[in-house]
Amino acid sequence: MRPFSVFLSIALILPLLFGCVKPFSLGTDPSGPTADVPDRAVSSAADTQNGDSGIAEPDDTTTSVRIDPDEENLVAIEEPGASIRNVQATIDEALDYCQVSQGFWQKGELENALDALDQAYALLLTVDIYDDPKLIQQKEDLRFMISKRILEIYASRNIVINGDHKAIPITLNQHVLAEIKRFTGVEKEFFTESYKRSGRYRPYIVEALKAAGMPVELSWLPLIESGFKDRALSTARALGLWQFIPSTGYKFGLKRDMYIDERLDPIKSTHAAIAYLKELHQIFGDWSTALASYNCGEGRVLRLIKGQNINYLDNFWDLFQQLPRETSRYFPRFLATLHMVNNAEEYGLDTLEIQEPLQYVTVDVARQVHLKDIAKNIGVTEEEMRILNPELRYKILTKEKYPLRLPPGNGDKLLAALDQIPISYPPQRAYVKHRVRPGESLSTIANRYRTSVSKIVRANNIRKRNFIAAGRVLRIPRKGTVIRPSTRYQKGKGGPPSTYTVRSGDSLWILARRYGTTTKKIIALNNLPNTTLHIRQVLKIPGGTPEPPIEGVFKTYKVKKGESPFRIARRNGMSLERFLRINSLTPRSKIYPGQNLLVE
């Protein structure tokens, strides 16, 4: 009978897998919202299969203990420094046993793999971590990883692989034929355009797969994932050629910050996808199940396996019937793609003009500049630069040294012109989001973000200032953002008319709707000869609430050649929205050299 620690490990993970607690979804198309995975304190080669985040209670013991290398009895530790060192050593030892277990599992020695995990878990039960956050995180991560691997090993006993488990079996059954019919019918345009785009990225993917010792047929997976579009975005926030959600991308080394999102980079995301697919293949042992897991997450597939009492994976198509609808079509679509590209002449693919592979040189640039300005200085198009550098979220280089990709032959041109290219900045959001916590009030939130209660109320259309529900997400205006009431101006009842200064983009219809009146009344009150309005024209609005003034101390700024509203606002430390507001401009308004504008 297996030691109690195994059953305790399984008890920790079963609630997660059977719906009591929902862990992070690691599939590329999850059914629910996801969260970014926090930094892991436990990291090793064995961590590549620790995809989910578990919840476990810390031990209630009060004395830190360790296993003495020369004795089997537990020895109490009194010095805090020595305690932490010995606890860390015990955790490291447990991690080594996890790595040993991984080696046994890959060789098919399941009993030895389980014994190693037993030993790792027994070591964790001997340590007390006090209140050290780092040790708490390490222990809980390791406990969950052990539990998850025990379940994977037990599930793998139900998997029987026929034939070469490293090959992708191509089956032409009714499900695959149905997808072929769609690719040659209602989805023909999608398939042909995706096939053309494949030439841009697939040669590199093929080489990367060969280097990893994986089937080159997997290079066609992006066709059904994204249509070989590097900026493809799904409703589940899956992004890029390989459709990574944020948490899965983070797990496999794809960074994301203000300037870049490496999920958009076809080269970096290809390496991440290969690592993920290799991990899934190690878990399930065959590509059919691994690809299904790539779509809906290994947790979902493991639950199906665990719920069976027979070796149903003699045939993947038994599992196929129980998968979510989108996933159940995923593998047949992949097989349909392989069949069609392997018979290109039969389906007319041999006559299509395939795009050329990406060709580029890399130059390290330590200047925060826009791709548009770079393209102008080296004589290429902005789109060419975007295609080579798709991970740049705003087409602006990072503050640090950035390895910029350029069309061949343009490296020296850029270096010669680099000092003349102006600095650019990513757009600043007018709002940040805040989730209300229990006990918070609008005043405490306003103080935290250095804004006012009235601005928060106006930005979120709050009616009861003294009541906000915990869990609600509020939009908090940044400093300098002008907040207008979200409701329309109320109709007046016999009161005096208000005045309004016309801005670019205004019309009589817009003003009438905003103030709750009619165009005929505005024309009559102002004796207008027609409906034409002029910027800075002052109108009387019948029965309307006066427009609230924009507060602040302003000075005049003369526009220089080549400047834009965004650059002027940045130069004067203003938000773009406030700059537009105080100058009665809209995002489409044009400004001209010599024009006088107001700045703070």
Side-chain angles (χ1 to χ4, degrees):
M1 187 172 182
R2 188 153 297 283
F4 175 72
S5 60
V6 169
F7 297 102
L8 183 58
S9 300
I10 296 176
L12 286 174
I13 196 170
L14 285 181
L16 291 174
L17 292 181
F18 288 98
C20 299
V21 180
K22 185 174 181 181
F24 289 121
S25 172
L26 290 179
T28 56
D29 197 3
S31 57
T34 60
D36 287 347
V37 179
D39 291 337
R40 294 300 185 196
V42 177
S43 60
S44 71
D47 278 344
T48 56
Q49 292 185 359
N50 181 20
D52 297 338
S53 175
I55 300 175
E57 297 297 328
D59 296 338
D60 292 328
T61 55
T62 58
T63 303
S64 178
V65 295
R66 64 177 171 82
I67 296 180
D68 190 284
D70 300 322
E71 300 179 10
E72 295 183 358
N73 298 325
L74 299 180
V75 180
I77 298 184
E78 297 179 357
E79 300 86 353
S83 172
I84 292 176
R85 287 194 299 272
N86 283 276
V87 167
Q88 183 66 65
T90 304
I91 292 177
D92 291 342
E93 185 179 354
L95 184 57
D96 285 342
Y97 273 105
C98 288
Q99 293 174 327
V100 170
S101 171
Q102 181 72 5
F104 282 130
W105 185 27
Q106 291 176 352
K107 294 177 181 178
E109 301 178 27
L110 302 188
E111 289 301 320
N112 287 336
L114 287 171
D115 288 340
L117 291 175
D118 276 349
Q119 185 63 29
Y121 202 91
L123 286 169
L124 284 188
L125 293 178
T126 67
V127 298
D128 188 350
I129 50 182
Y130 291 107
D131 295 325
D132 189 303
K134 181 180 178 181
L135 293 178
I136 291 173
Q137 184 67 59
Q138 288 189 50
K139 182 177 179 180
E140 296 312 311
D141 285 347
L142 194 51
R143 288 174 69 177
F144 184 77
M145 180 172 68
I146 293 170
S147 304
K148 183 172 182 286
R149 290 194 180 162
I150 289 173
L151 184 56
E152 290 170 350
I153 292 173
Y154 275 107
S156 66
R157 288 176 164 176
N158 292 336
I159 301 174
V160 177
I161 304 301
N162 293 327
D164 184 3
H165 71 284
K166 294 185 178 180
I168 299 177
I170 300 180
T171 305
L172 287 180
N173 57 22
Q174 59 178 339
H175 308 294
V176 178
L177 292 174
E179 296 303 329
I180 292 176
K181 184 177 180 180
R182 292 181 65 87
F183 283 150
T184 56
V186 294
E187 294 188 44
K188 183 175 181 179
E189 183 179 356
F190 161 78
F191 190 91
T192 54
E193 292 302 315
S194 301
Y195 186 80
K196 292 177 183 177
R197 282 191 295 269
S198 68
R200 180 181 292 175
Y201 309 110
R202 190 169 167 271
Y204 181 84
I205 299 173
V206 168
E207 291 303 315
L209 287 168
K210 287 180 178 178
M214 297 168 67
V216 295
E217 292 89 344
L218 295 173
S219 62
W220 290 107
L221 204 57
L223 189 145
I224 61 171
E225 282 285 347
S226 61
F228 279 102
K229 292 181 179 179
D230 57 10
R231 301 188 72 83
L233 175 65
S234 76
T235 56
R237 297 190 305 146
L239 186 63
L241 211 66
W242 293 92
Q243 290 291 278
F244 276 102
I245 60 173
S247 57
T248 312
Y250 180 89
K251 176 187 175 185
F252 291 97
L254 298 178
K255 295 187 298 183
R256 186 167 62 109
D257 58 27
M258 176 72 172
Y259 294 90
I260 65 171
D261 190 332
E262 292 184 343
R263 294 179 296 164
L264 293 167
D265 188 286
I267 294 176
K268 294 176 182 178
S269 63
T270 291
H271 290 290
I274 288 174
Y276 188 24
L277 288 167
K278 182 179 290 187
E279 174 184 300
L280 293 174
H281 189 261
Q282 290 174 349
I283 293 175
F284 297 104
D286 72 294
W287 285 114
S288 306
T289 318
L291 291 179
S293 302
Y294 187 86
N295 183 254
C296 69
E298 66 266 36
R300 183 69 174 266
V301 177
L302 281 171
R303 288 199 296 271
L304 291 177
I305 295 174
K306 186 63 181 176
Q308 300 297 314
N309 295 318
I310 59 174
N311 294 338
Y312 69 92
L313 282 186
D314 266 349
N315 187 344
F316 167 80
W317 299 101
D318 294 331
L319 171 67
F320 164 84
Q321 300 291 346
Q322 303 179 58
L323 293 168
R325 186 178 184 278
E326 182 176 343
T327 305
S328 66
R329 289 187 57 203
Y330 185 81
F331 188 59
R333 285 172 73 82
F334 178 63
L335 294 185
T337 300
L338 292 185
H339 175 75
M340 292 177 65
V341 298
N342 289 338
N343 298 274
E345 186 175 350
E346 178 182 348
Y347 295 98
L349 301 178
D350 58 323
T351 61
L352 298 178
E353 185 176 350
I354 310 299
Q355 293 184 5
E356 293 294 325
L358 292 179
Q359 301 289 336
Y360 59 87
V361 295
T362 302
V363 175
D364 290 335
V365 178
R367 188 175 176 84
Q368 190 174 310
V369 292
H370 198 287
L371 292 183
K372 175 182 61 179
D373 297 324
I374 294 175
K376 187 188 303 181
N377 278 270
I378 64 175
V380 300
T381 66
E382 181 182 347
E383 180 62 12
E384 286 181 88
M385 294 299 301
R386 188 207 67 77
I387 291 173
L388 291 176
N389 303 275
E391 70 177 7
L392 296 173
R393 299 177 63 185
Y394 300 104
K395 303 179 185 179
I396 296 175
L397 275 61
T398 61
K399 296 179 180 179
E400 298 79 21
K401 184 180 294 185
Y402 182 79
L404 182 70
R405 297 171 189 162
L406 298 167
N410 288 281
D412 292 338
K413 290 183 183 178
L414 175 61
L415 293 176
L418 189 58
D419 292 340
Q420 309 302 320
I421 301 177
I423 300 293
S424 293
Y425 300 91
Q428 179 179 345
R429 291 184 299 175
Y431 300 93
V432 295
K433 292 183 179 179
H434 175 82
R435 186 180 296 276
V436 179
R437 300 179 178 89
E440 284 188 323
S441 65
L442 288 178
S443 60
T444 59
I445 296 173
N447 289 335
R448 177 179 176 181
Y449 290 95
R450 298 182 181 180
T451 185
S452 65
V453 172
S454 60
K455 287 186 177 181
I456 298 177
V457 168
R458 189 175 293 177
N460 295 275
N461 197 23
I462 296 174
R463 296 184 179 182
K464 297 181 180 180
R465 295 188 177 210
N466 298 326
F467 176 78
I468 52 172
R472 178 176 178 179
V473 177
L474 298 177
R475 298 200 313 165
I476 310 299
R478 289 181 179 271
K479 183 179 179 181
T481 301
V482 176
I483 308 299
R484 299 292 181 185
S486 56
T487 55
R488 297 180 188 174
Y489 290 93
Q490 298 179 349
K491 294 181 180 180
K493 296 185 178 179
S498 60
T499 59
Y500 177 81
T501 303
V502 177
R503 300 170 182 163
S504 176
D506 280 337
S507 69
L508 287 176
W509 183 85
I510 291 175
L511 296 178
R513 192 162 181 256
R514 182 184 300 167
Y515 283 88
T517 184
T518 65
T519 57
K520 290 183 178 180
K521 290 182 179 179
I522 297 176
I523 291 174
L525 184 61
N526 292 275
N527 296 320
L528 299 177
N530 51 48
T531 59
T532 302
L533 299 179
H534 307 284
I535 296 176
R536 302 188 188 278
Q537 180 180 0
V538 178
L539 295 176
K540 296 178 181 179
I541 307 297
T545 303
E547 180 187 51
I550 299 177
E551 299 178 355
V553 178
F554 309 112
K555 58 185 179 182
T556 302
Y557 179 88
K558 182 172 289 188
V559 179
K560 301 179 180 63
K561 184 178 180 180
E563 288 187 319
S564 66
F566 175 76
R567 290 182 179 177
I568 296 175
R570 280 288 183 180
R571 182 167 296 166
N572 291 276
M574 303 172 59
S575 70
L576 177 60
E577 181 177 354
R578 182 164 178 81
F579 176 78
L580 296 176
R581 293 279 189 190
I582 65 176
N583 288 283
S584 300
L585 300 174
T586 69
R588 295 187 178 183
S589 298
K590 302 292 185 182
I591 60 174
Y592 308 94
Q595 182 179 358
N596 289 323
L597 297 173
L598 298 177
V599 297
E600 289 182 315

